Amino acid sequence: MQTIARANRVFPGKHSGMIVDYANVFASLEKALAIYGAGKGGKNPVKDKQKLVADLRKAVDAATVFCAERQVILPAIEQIPTGSLVRLQRMDDAVNAVISPDSLRREFFAHERIVNTLYGAVKPDPAALEFAGRVACLAAIADAIRTKLNPNPADISEVMGDIGKLLDASITGVAMPKTAATIMDLSKIDFEALGRRFKESKHKNTDLEVLKAAIRAQLEKLIHLNKTRADFAEKFEELIESYNAGSRNIEELFEELLKLSRNLSDEQQRHVRENMTEEELVIFDILTRPAPELSTEERAELKKVSRELLHKIKQLLVINWRQKSTARSQLKLAIEDTLDTGLPGAFSRDLFQLKCSAVFEHFYESYAESGISIYSTGA
């Protein structure tokens, strides 16, 4: 029973364990299992390795058919010499075929994941060699997709090492890029040129997903610093959903995303136009989103209030202030006093209370203590 317990112990990334029957112990093991160890539904938890090989073959076939239905012929790609321009072009075509829409990409990743998991479970059985090339091809496509979509690509040397292990020393692998693909910096995009390039692109799905990844990364950064920007994220998700539902074609979605990208670039520089720091702008946005209709003079006064409030609160931030009831009370009182005298008369009492709570919540979430915040650390 200890033999089973040790081999069958689960943890993340482990699909199964293998028992090597050196001394014909399995006959006794089966007797013990019949008495003590029947699995759910009376099933024997020990399976012959050939069953695992059969499962792998079935998973590989399913993944191959899935790709073929999207004009990605894996056996043909495997026959092309590794590192050749033709193979790189075929890999780019394969990525473009399965990278979009989101549901299709998730389905491809599901196929690749189960194939990779079963392949790892079958190794080091020699039967795994039959599938090595196909597993490597699927892994290469999956890694290329992740590289395209990762806005902050990490050093992939470890991934390269894993791929090498996957193929074994005796198997010729798939050439992988030495560096990750460059992700677009929205603030430096020539949107007109990008739009023209997209119209002529042969890999529109890939271009679309790279733009989506860049926008998503920019949104996460902007909203992390200022939660009142959540409307941008809602608009982004609505556009993606409309494309997935078939309400927009790929050209229409790309054009809408370019418009959104321009808006995000403008939003990123809005604090400069408002003559405020990013920290001051957040407070101003909390006070004005939503707010009654305000005159130019009242908006200017709210900017002044935002600067004053930020200065006051920073003076009250002490070590571990969030855990100290006295420190929290001082912050709340400072917020209420400043807004009570600073908010225009158009703000109702209920809206005043709402703004006080929202400002306190912002400081609680964003400022750990004096000199430490999401603005100072970039966290």
Side-chain angles (χ1 to χ4, degrees), residues 153-209:
D155 179 6
I156 64 169
S157 58
E158 183 177 348
V159 177
M160 294 291 292
D162 290 342
I163 293 295
K165 294 176 184 176
L166 176 72
L167 299 174
D168 294 325
S170 60
I171 300 298
T172 300
V174 174
M176 296 295 292
K178 296 295 183 182
T179 57
T182 302
I183 294 296
M184 285 183 277
D185 180 349
L186 294 183
S187 65
K188 300 177 181 178
I189 286 180
D190 181 340
F191 293 104
E192 298 300 327
L194 185 61
R196 290 193 299 270
R197 194 193 77 176
F198 181 76
K199 291 178 181 179
E200 302 172 357
S201 174
K202 296 180 180 180
H203 293 143
K204 291 187 175 182
N205 287 336
T206 300
D207 291 343
L208 174 66
E209 293 302 322

Side-chain angles (χ1 to χ4, degrees), residues 31-313:
K31 294 178 181 178
L33 286 171
I35 302 172
Y36 306 108
K40 293 181 179 179
K43 294 181 179 179
N44 190 330
V46 181
K47 299 179 181 178
D48 189 275
K49 189 70 172 286
Q50 291 308 307
K51 171 64 169 59
L52 195 60
V53 174
D55 289 343
L56 173 58
R57 178 172 288 105
K58 195 176 300 182
V60 167
D61 289 344
T64 302
V65 170
F66 172 84
C67 291
E69 290 172 348
R70 278 81 191 170
Q71 311 308 313
V72 178
I73 312 302
L74 298 179
I77 295 176
E78 293 167 29
Q79 297 303 313
I80 303 172
T82 301
S84 67
L85 180 60
V86 174
R87 180 153 184 160
L88 292 175
Q89 290 174 339
R90 288 289 184 88
M91 290 297 292
D92 285 343
D93 292 341
V95 169
N96 185 67
V98 297
I99 198 173
S100 184
D102 296 351
S103 57
L104 179 65
R105 183 172 66 254
R106 286 193 293 267
E107 192 172 353
F108 170 76
F109 277 145
H111 279 290
E112 189 271 337
R113 188 164 47 249
I114 188 61
V115 167
N116 194 38
T117 299
L118 289 171
Y119 180 79
V122 168
K123 290 173 62 180
D125 193 297
L129 296 177
E130 173 189 345
F131 309 99
R134 189 65 44 84
V135 174
C137 194
L138 287 167
I141 295 171
D143 284 336
I145 292 174
R146 294 186 185 100
T147 298
K148 292 285 186 184
L149 302 186
N150 185 4
N152 299 297
D155 179 6
I156 64 169
S157 58
E158 183 177 348
V159 177
M160 294 291 292
D162 290 342
I163 293 295
K165 294 176 184 176
L166 176 72
L167 299 174
D168 294 325
S170 60
I171 300 298
T172 300
V174 174
M176 296 295 292
K178 296 295 183 182
T179 57
T182 302
I183 294 296
M184 285 183 277
D185 180 349
L186 294 183
S187 65
K188 300 177 181 178
I189 286 180
D190 181 340
F191 293 104
E192 298 300 327
L194 185 61
R196 290 193 299 270
R197 194 193 77 176
F198 181 76
K199 291 178 181 179
E200 302 172 357
S201 174
K202 296 180 180 180
H203 293 143
K204 291 187 175 182
N205 287 336
T206 300
D207 291 343
L208 174 66
E209 293 302 322
V210 169
L211 179 59
K212 282 169 58 179
I215 293 175
R216 185 172 281 112
Q218 187 74 349
L219 278 171
E220 290 176 358
K221 177 182 177 181
L222 290 174
I223 294 174
H224 178 63
L225 297 176
N226 186 342
K227 288 185 170 56
T228 68
R229 294 164 171 161
D231 288 350
F232 287 105
E234 292 177 8
K235 175 63 175 176
F236 176 69
E237 294 302 334
E238 287 173 5
L239 290 173
I240 302 306
E241 181 58 33
S242 68
Y243 172 66
N244 291 337
S247 301
R248 282 185 173 87
N249 61 35
I250 192 169
E251 288 79 10
E252 291 170 337
L253 176 62
F254 196 87
E255 184 62 34
E256 289 295 329
L257 290 179
L258 284 183
K259 292 178 183 177
L260 180 59
S261 300
R262 294 188 188 96
N263 292 337
L264 291 180
S265 295
D266 290 342
E267 175 65 21
Q268 189 172 7
Q269 298 301 317
R270 183 165 61 90
H271 69 91
V272 177
R273 298 195 302 275
E274 297 284 3
N275 194 27
M276 306 180 79
T277 66
E278 183 72 45
E279 291 180 88
E280 294 167 348
L281 182 65
V282 178
I283 299 175
F284 177 74
D285 286 345
I286 291 173
L287 298 180
T288 57
R289 296 178 175 178
E293 188 173 346
L294 301 170
S295 66
T296 302
E297 292 76 15
E298 287 174 327
R299 288 181 65 85
E301 186 61 29
L302 277 181
K303 289 181 182 180
K304 181 180 177 182
V305 170
S306 299
R307 295 186 184 98
E308 178 186 344
L309 184 55
L310 179 64
H311 178 72
K312 280 186 178 181
I313 296 300

